[in-house]
Amino acid sequence: MTTELFDRKEVYVGRDFGGVTCDVTPDLVATYIAGTGDDNPWYRGNSPLGGPIAPALILHSAVYHTLAWYLPNIYGNLHARQEWDMFAPVMFGERLTTRSVIIDRYLKRDREYVVNEVLVGNASGQIVSRSRTHQSFLLPEQAKEGFVVDRAREKDSSRSFKIGERGGDPIGSPMRTITEAMCMAFSGPARNYHNDRQKAVELGFPEIVVQGMLSVCLVAEMMTRRFGLGFLYGGKMDLRLVNVLWGNDVTGPKGLIVERRREGIRSRAEVEVWCDKADGTKTVVGSASAIEL
């Protein structure tokens, strides 16, 4: 059914942007490993389910299969928040189908936000994951010359975030350098501000802006290694991307299990999570959880 209430280019709540169909192949997983550094043995066949399991966020960028949901002014746009719910593992050889719809649009300070929800289903019709991407755009009156965000911004006292101070059982993952080759594998092959410095400058940034979803994948890697199938079946993340991760920065995820609560016959571990740069600057803060099996 068509409607004449909205212009065909308008980004409105409820607008459906369709989706893509994708086969989970060894090449797809190899590209994921090259882009993230996450080389879990389960991806190569030694898994509790008897065959290779795909990374939890194997379709991390399905939301970006089209940018028609972006607002017109893309100068200085930023990935601001990412929510994710895992419902079932994905095995090699499965065929996945996505569906993308705008579920919210709101104003906050000097930016306008659009929220795009993506459902991922398998060939049997089962929903295996749901994600909600909050993308922020400068308001027209906030347009200015020069860099929208530079390296000095993250040193401002207002960009300091208190997390990980409650105490609890620590979890973590090794720090790694996010190389330009990783950026190309994760955000390529087309050149854009996530893998090419000149493209970044054109959009108001001094260096390559590492795609925010890469840090989200690092948190998912940490949760998978700590909780295994308990994260792939029913895991959750709600993350705010608070400082820019630049190309060639060193970063890594950390977490603290701060609470355990009953869920059916099992318990759910609630985790404070964040990503640090080598100098302690936090780029991601938020929460995650998983079932303890």
Side-chain angles (χ1 to χ4, degrees):
M1 182 177 69
T2 60
T3 176
E4 297 180 357
L5 291 176
F6 301 100
D7 181 270
R8 65 183 181 86
K9 293 185 178 181
E10 186 174 351
V11 179
Y12 58 89
V13 173
R15 183 172 175 185
D16 189 323
F17 286 91
V20 295
T21 298
C22 180
D23 292 326
V24 180
T25 65
D27 285 347
L28 182 66
V29 176
T31 298
Y32 183 97
I33 293 170
T36 63
D38 175 12
D39 195 6
N40 193 311
W42 287 7
Y43 308 158
R44 302 188 184 279
N46 184 24
S47 85
L49 298 183
I53 298 175
L57 306 192
I58 186 63
L59 297 189
H60 54 79
S61 293
V63 66
Y64 300 120
H65 86 276
T66 175
L67 298 185
W69 62 279
Y70 272 29
L71 299 185
N73 178 28
I74 63 171
Y75 186 84
N77 81 91
L78 287 169
H79 187 174
R81 180 181 173 189
Q82 185 66 47
E83 302 171 79
W84 219 293
D85 297 285
M86 271 58 71
F87 302 125
V90 172
M91 307 298 290
F92 276 39
E94 288 200 67
R95 174 163 291 182
L96 302 178
T97 301
T98 71
R99 196 75 187 191
S100 170
V101 64
I102 302 302
I103 64 165
D104 201 4
R105 182 170 170 174
Y106 60 92
L107 295 172
K108 187 176 179 182
R109 292 190 289 275
D110 61 347
R111 287 180 171 265
E112 186 165 12
Y113 294 74
V114 178
V115 185
N116 190 327
E117 178 176 276
V118 175
L119 295 177
V120 179
N122 60 23
S124 68
Q126 179 184 15
I127 301 299
V128 299
S129 70
R130 175 181 63 200
S131 64
R132 292 178 174 179
T133 302
H134 299 240
Q135 198 78 15
S136 74
F137 303 85
L138 284 172
L139 295 171
E141 59 268 26
Q142 297 296 327
K144 63 179 181 179
E145 295 182 359
F147 295 134
V148 175
V149 176
D150 59 21
R151 288 184 176 273
R153 174 178 178 261
E154 64 196 48
K155 303 303 181 184
D156 190 284
S157 60
S158 66
R159 309 305 301 173
S160 177
F161 300 88
K162 293 186 180 299
I163 192 169
E165 299 178 355
R166 295 171 56 184
D169 298 336
I171 56 177
S173 189
M175 303 284 281
R176 63 189 57 147
T177 301
I178 307 302
T179 65
E180 293 183 26
M182 291 174 67
C183 291
M184 182 58 72
F186 194 87
S187 304
R191 293 195 174 274
N192 55 69
Y193 75 124
H194 295 310
N195 57 35
D196 183 276
R197 184 180 182 278
Q198 183 55 44
K199 294 293 185 181
V201 170
E202 291 172 6
L203 287 183
F205 305 99
E207 301 288 348
I208 289 172
V209 176
V210 176
Q211 189 175 336
M213 207 68 83
L214 198 156
S215 293
V216 175
C217 288
L218 297 184
V219 175
E221 172 191 358
M222 177 183 72
M223 293 292 290
T224 301
R225 287 185 179 273
R226 174 61 178 80
F227 296 102
L229 294 180
F231 182 66
L232 300 178
Y233 286 104
K236 300 175 183 293
M237 295 188 293
D238 187 356
L239 308 174
R240 290 185 296 137
L241 289 78
V242 294
N243 281 308
V244 173
L245 184 66
W246 307 102
N248 297 306
D249 274 347
V250 177
T251 188
K254 295 182 176 65
L256 281 176
I257 302 174
V258 295
E259 181 183 357
R260 287 178 168 89
R261 59 180 176 82
R262 182 177 174 181
E263 185 169 308
I265 62 171
R266 309 184 191 278
S267 65
R268 177 174 291 274
E270 301 285 353
V271 186
E272 284 189 342
V273 295
W274 65 96
C275 289
D276 281 334
K277 295 189 185 185
D279 65 0
T281 298
K282 290 181 172 55
T283 58
V284 172
V285 298
S287 62
S289 69
I291 299 297
E292 293 189 298
L293 299 178

